[in-house]
Amino acid sequence: MLTVVTSTLHLYREALHATSRSLVRGWLAIPAVIVFTLLMLLAHQIARPLGMLGGFLLGAVNACLIGAILSLIEQAIKGMRAITLGDVIESMGHYFWDVISVGFVLWIPTMLLDTSLRANPDSQFLVTACLLLVFILLNPAPEVIYLTRHDSPLDVLKRSYDFVLDNWIEWFLPMALVLAPLGLSLFFKLSSQLGRGAGLDFIQLVFVPFTVLSAWLTDFGISAELTGMIALLLTPPLMVGMLIFRGHLFVALSATSRRQRLYQSQFHDSAR
């Protein structure tokens, strides 16, 4: 048991070290997130009166911005040089069709769940359970898109599912440690929202760190006004850091099995 804990801690320590190095290279992704958020909010204002056409517009803008941020995170993780303004501009359009196609596959069952909920309000528990299942099984879909070779949106979903089955403890433990003190209600709230888009909704990606950070600051007794200011200021770097950490953790978990990590941990401890 001690070996398991040691190997897991070593895994997270290495991912954190790699994240710090990637943040130095990819710090420009932080102001990019701010600009992208403003663009997404502007798109919401433009699309609001356009009905169904507005929905298509939002979907296209969301896919463009999600693809761009995933491309920047990929460069921060894999690159050997600092991200430049040219990289930010060139990131627009990357992974656009991957995000669109996965989103479309998920849109159909999500629409059916919403229809069921409107027809029968008592089905709220079933809808929440289904969204929780999607949130869990498809949680690494963003990382699958930009860190693996895949053939289709269904292949993305299958690879996400397989990855979670193999690595669910190591993948979700950091999230559990952050959210557990804040209560189950916040977890179900976040899972219901993120489950609708498998982590491929840009506003939700911004919303998660903002909400979690606000909850922590509130628990520390900080006033609502100061909490809002601090959360707004820290959300962009926290979002980028979270995505980079997830990317490095995904790479490490994909490269080795749990048994291999246990063996490597023993070797590492003996070497020290």
Side-chain angles (χ1 to χ4, degrees):
M1 180 64 182
L2 181 59
T3 306
V4 174
V5 174
T6 302
S7 67
T8 304
L9 290 177
H10 177 70
L11 173 74
Y12 295 148
R13 184 167 59 248
E14 291 299 310
L16 285 172
H17 288 165
T19 298
S20 65
R21 293 191 295 269
S22 293
L23 275 172
V24 173
R25 291 193 299 269
W27 66 269
L28 201 56
I30 296 173
V33 163
I34 298 173
V35 174
F36 291 173
T37 302
L38 294 176
L39 289 175
M40 194 69 209
L41 294 176
L42 176 62
H44 272 275
Q45 293 298 320
I46 295 174
R48 184 173 298 173
L50 299 181
M52 183 176 294
L53 179 61
F56 288 122
L57 172 64
L58 281 180
V61 174
N62 177 76
C64 185
L65 297 180
I66 283 287
I69 198 62
L70 292 184
S71 175
L72 293 176
I73 297 300
E74 178 186 17
Q75 292 180 63
I77 291 173
K78 296 181 177 180
M80 300 301 293
R81 61 173 178 80
I83 292 176
T84 65
L85 181 59
D87 294 323
V88 175
I89 296 173
E90 291 177 6
S91 69
M92 305 300 288
H94 279 235
Y95 302 115
F96 177 84
W97 291 112
D98 297 274
V99 177
I100 283 286
S101 56
V102 172
F104 179 76
V105 170
L106 292 176
W107 173 73
I108 298 174
T110 301
M111 181 182 63
L112 293 176
L113 286 174
D114 288 337
T115 302
S116 171
L117 184 59
R118 286 194 297 269
N120 181 15
D122 293 334
S123 64
Q124 177 66 59
F125 176 79
L126 177 61
V127 172
T128 301
C130 290
L131 292 175
L132 174 62
L133 187 64
V134 172
F135 168 76
I136 292 173
L137 296 180
L138 302 184
N139 192 271
E143 287 71 30
V144 171
I145 287 177
Y146 76 89
L147 289 173
T148 70
R149 297 174 65 100
H150 47 273
D151 301 321
S152 67
L154 293 180
D155 190 30
V156 172
L157 304 186
K158 180 183 182 301
R159 287 174 179 267
S160 299
Y161 171 81
D162 291 340
F163 176 86
V164 169
L165 288 188
D166 291 338
N167 305 286
W168 65 274
I169 297 177
E170 295 87 349
W171 183 251
F172 287 109
L173 182 57
M175 185 188 310
L177 293 176
V178 171
L179 294 180
L182 302 176
L184 284 176
S185 60
L186 179 62
F187 170 74
F188 285 119
K189 176 183 178 182
L190 294 177
S191 65
S192 294
Q193 293 171 337
L194 290 174
R196 292 180 175 275
L200 296 174
D201 185 310
F202 187 84
I203 291 299
Q204 295 302 334
L205 278 184
V206 177
F207 173 80
V208 169
F210 179 84
T211 302
V212 173
L213 182 58
S214 297
W216 272 105
L217 293 174
T218 301
D219 280 359
F220 279 116
I222 299 177
S223 66
E225 294 80 6
L226 189 57
T227 291
M229 291 176 58
I230 296 174
L232 282 174
L233 183 65
L234 295 183
T235 289
L238 190 60
M239 173 183 165
V240 172
M242 174 190 73
L243 290 174
I244 291 177
F245 176 78
R246 281 171 55 103
H248 281 296
L249 185 59
F250 182 90
V251 170
L253 291 173
S254 299
T256 58
S257 67
R258 188 172 291 128
R259 179 175 297 180
Q260 288 173 317
R261 291 192 293 273
L262 288 173
Y263 174 77
Q264 292 172 358
S265 177
Q266 292 174 342
F267 181 79
H268 177 76
D269 290 341
S270 63
R272 288 192 301 178

